Amino acid sequence: SCGDKFVVSPDSGVSPGPSPTPPPPTPPPAGAGVWSVTQGACTVDGDCVTSPSFPSPYGDSQSCSISVHENGKAITVERFTTESGYDELFVNGEAFSGSRGPAGKYPSTGRPITWTSDNSVPSAGWKICLSATQTGAPTTTMTAAPTRPPTMPPTETPTTTTTAAPTMPPTMPPTETPTTTSAPTMPPTQ
């Protein structure tokens, strides 16, 4: 009959229903801008974040973790000077150090930016910002190459060389020597 119920056993391979939806991402803390420092001595400065003590040099053995709250914005670098290979800023898992900052990178909201300095040679530090306008993160979709009208291969300009024609007297058809015949002359009449 229509009102019958059935029980699905866990080993039958049939799902008892839709799986619960995952909870929404945790919203940024109240008053947070595009990022927040979740651990350590880094500092948020409007749409920018800096190494500890910036613009003074950062210290030895420091670290911090920074959460990004807006996708689709590229990082701009206002200053970036760290001990190359030892004091590193990680964006999306990629390490940046020395004078090579993360300019143009699009940080992910699901992955914190992290900073670590070793136990010697502190440097001037860094200040990175997120672009002021939404730019749209790069995608992996294929785009067509720009089209242009076909171009013709270059053609050589003909070079004109003037060569003098052979000089020969003009040729005329042979002519006969005119023969003159004189008409009889009459004495003048008076």
Side-chain angles (χ1 to χ4, degrees), residues 27-76:
V34 293
W35 14 45
S36 60
V37 176
T38 57
Q39 176 270 318
C42 292
T43 305
V44 173
D45 180 10
D47 286 345
C48 302
V49 65
T50 67
S51 56
S53 306
F54 187 85
S56 298
Y58 56 83
D60 293 337
S61 304
Q62 291 185 319
S63 66
C64 62
S65 183
I66 303 151
S67 291
V68 180
H69 303 298
E70 290 188 33
N71 272 327
K73 291 187 174 185
I75 293 176
T76 58

Side-chain angles (χ1 to χ4, degrees), residues 19-27:
S19 59
T21 56
T26 306

Side-chain angles (χ1 to χ4, degrees), residues 88-185:
E88 298 173 316
L89 182 71
F90 291 86
V91 177
N92 298 335
E94 184 178 352
F96 297 90
S97 67
S99 60
R100 183 180 157 265
K105 297 295 178 180
Y106 289 82
S108 169
T109 56
R111 206 167 179 185
I113 293 174
T114 58
W115 161 252
T116 59
S117 64
D118 70 357
N119 59 2
S120 66
V121 193
S123 290
W126 48 267
K127 181 175 184 177
I128 60 173
C129 307
L130 285 182
S131 59
T133 58
Q134 193 85 9
T135 57
T139 63
T140 56
T141 56
M142 298 295 286
T143 56
T147 57
R148 288 191 227 162
T151 56
M152 298 297 289
T155 56
E156 290 187 28
T157 306
T159 55
T160 309
T161 54
T162 312
T163 55
T167 55
M168 294 171 63
T171 56
M172 307 264 305
T175 57
E176 291 184 25
T177 307
T179 56
T180 53
T181 55
S182 51
T185 54

